[in-house]
Structure formats: C-alpha cells, structure tokens
Amino acid sequence: MIFYFSGTGNSRWVAQTLASMINDTASDISKIEVIPPLTDEQQIGLVFPIYAWGAPEPVIAFAKNLHQSAAFTFGICTCGADAGKALKKLSKYFHLDSCYSLMMPNNYIIGGKEMDVEKKENCIQKIKSASDILQNIAQEITQKKPVYHVEEGTFPRLKSSIANWGFNHFARTTKPFHVTDACIGCGLCEKNCPAHTITLHDKKPFWDKPCFQCLRCIHECPTAAIQYGASTTNKGRYTIQKYL
C-alpha cells in the first residue's frame, strides 16, 4: 500500500506511477477516515511534498497512527531542490527502511516576488527525469533494498528544525488569501481543500484555520481568481496535468 498527500499533483503522480510499476495501490491520505489493516502488506510507502524542509502536518499525523509491521517501508518526498532532514524526522514516527527525494517542478509562488512557476520546458524535463528515476526506485523497492537517496542540501538540520518550525508557526496564515472579481463561485476550492478550511459565503470562498499551505486552491482555480496578498498577482499557475 502506498499512501500519499499532494497539493498540486506532483506527489499524487509519483505515488500512482510507482504503484503501477510495482503492482500496488495508491491512496490519498486526506480522504482516508480509517486506516485499513496492513498486516498482510508486503510494502508500505509514504509519498508527500516537502514544505519548508519538513513533511506536511497531515503526513506526520498519519504516520503517527500507522502501526509498524514486518512490511518493507519506504518514503519518497517531492521537492523543488533539497529535502533537509524531513525523511529522517518522519522516520522517528514510522520507521522507513528506504528514503528518497525526487526533484519535481517547484510551484511555491507565495514565497516572494521572484518566485514563480517554472518554464514549461523545465517542468517537462523534470517530470521526465523523475519518471526515469522512479524505474530505479521501483526495482529497489521490489528487491526490498534499504537505501537513503535523499538530497538534504546545505545546513539540513537547521532548515528542518528552525526554518520548518517558523513555517508551521508563522507562515501558514490564511489571512492573505482573497479572491478577485474573476471568481465565478464554482466551489472547486471548497470541495478540494484537504484541510477543509474553505467555505463559500455568497458564492465566494473564505479561509479559516488550519491551512496546510498546499496551494491547491490557488493553482486549481479555473479563473486564477485566488490570490495570496499581492505576491501571486500576475504569476503563473501549476498543476501537473498540464504537463502529462
């Protein structure tokens, strides 16, 4: 069984692609109400994006509720560059026999004026490269080969502790979220929010707490009406379906 959490589709694509390679099943963590029995599983995997050099809150909560078994376990994180100590920290809650980081197109467009979606050719190349790497990962998982292929980057311990703490305590505010007149009241953001923090009032979305900052609402809005302060104005939007 492969469990995944995904905002704009990168980790979902990785989980589903890998599942097809190793004849497994991929399940969305945000849609699981009761963890299924895992006693007969041959392998158990966690796939998720990196948020500020850490695993997203729902992934950590899910891992804490998983019971360790005799199955071979692995974790794969998707990231724009490096992952820090995210997988080693996650392994404290649910032991991982193998760990991987996989570079995918970056879509964190709220981090500053200079941060935008990547060019189309870059996205296509990164996805193609990830597909090739997944072939090797599939072989190693099938062989139950314990490895640690993670690009931790510079100062990984500092990033995954202080920087990640700061992100979770200060950067996940929903106050900057707002919609422009381009909003058509379709309700897609409310329907697809994994944190269930969006509700519609007079056909306009409002954000409460908590928020995972997956940015699914921003990127999947069909009219690009959702903004985060002034930092996302005139920036591109990303979902992996555009490049598959």
Side-chain angles (χ1 to χ4, degrees):
M1 182 73 72
I2 300 174
F3 299 104
Y4 70 86
F5 176 82
S6 186
T8 56
N10 284 343
S11 294
R12 180 182 66 244
W13 173 80
V14 169
Q16 292 177 344
T17 300
L18 180 62
S20 67
M21 290 177 176
I22 63 177
N23 193 29
D24 208 333
T25 302
S27 298
D28 186 348
I29 287 174
S30 66
K31 296 180 180 179
I32 296 175
E33 295 182 1
V34 179
I35 298 176
L38 302 174
T39 53
D40 295 330
E41 296 296 327
Q42 297 298 309
Q43 65 249 343
I44 300 172
L46 296 173
V47 180
F48 58 90
I50 289 294
Y51 291 169
W53 301 283
E57 178 186 324
V59 176
I60 295 175
F62 186 81
K64 287 180 178 179
N65 288 319
L66 282 176
H67 295 292
Q68 205 73 46
S69 70
F72 181 80
T73 58
F74 62 91
I76 303 175
C77 65
T78 59
C79 52
D82 50 74
K85 298 286 185 181
L87 281 156
K88 287 184 177 178
K89 291 182 69 175
L90 184 65
S91 192
K92 293 179 180 179
Y93 305 116
F94 181 72
H95 174 73
L96 301 171
D97 295 313
S98 286
C99 296
Y100 303 88
S101 64
L102 198 58
M103 188 177 294
M104 294 289 288
N106 186 21
N107 51 60
Y108 191 70
I109 63 174
I110 69 174
K113 293 183 178 180
E114 72 285 353
M115 300 186 72
D116 203 343
V117 297
E118 298 184 42
K119 294 181 180 179
K120 180 179 179 180
E121 54 268 28
N122 290 353
C123 293
I124 293 174
Q125 180 55 46
K126 281 189 174 182
I127 294 169
K128 181 182 182 302
S129 177
S131 181
D132 294 338
I133 294 172
L134 277 173
Q135 294 283 354
N136 294 329
I137 293 176
Q139 291 180 8
E140 292 178 343
I141 291 173
T142 301
Q143 296 167 1
K144 293 181 171 53
K145 185 177 180 181
V147 299
Y148 185 79
H149 296 322
V150 177
E151 180 56 55
E152 293 188 348
T154 58
F155 309 109
R157 198 175 303 278
L158 183 67
K159 290 176 177 177
S160 293
S161 56
I162 296 177
N164 183 255
W165 183 90
F167 168 79
N168 285 314
H169 284 80
F170 302 110
R172 285 169 51 183
T173 177
T174 60
K175 291 181 180 179
F177 280 111
H178 65 281
V179 292
T180 67
D181 292 338
C183 176
I184 58 176
C186 67
L188 187 67
C189 54
E190 179 187 41
K191 177 183 177 182
N192 292 337
C193 176
H196 307 293
T197 192
I198 302 175
T199 54
L200 293 187
H201 299 280
D202 296 326
K203 294 186 177 181
K204 300 295 181 182
F206 286 83
W207 286 259
D208 201 345
K209 295 179 181 180
C211 174
F212 303 141
Q213 293 252 344
C214 70
L215 305 189
R216 184 184 298 179
C217 58
I218 290 180
H219 288 289
E220 290 191 347
C221 178
T223 60
I226 298 176
Q227 304 291 344
Y228 193 82
S231 64
T232 56
T233 304
N234 299 321
K235 289 185 179 181
R237 300 296 190 263
Y238 173 91
T239 58
I240 195 171
Q241 286 85 354
K242 296 179 182 179
Y243 307 99
L244 298 179

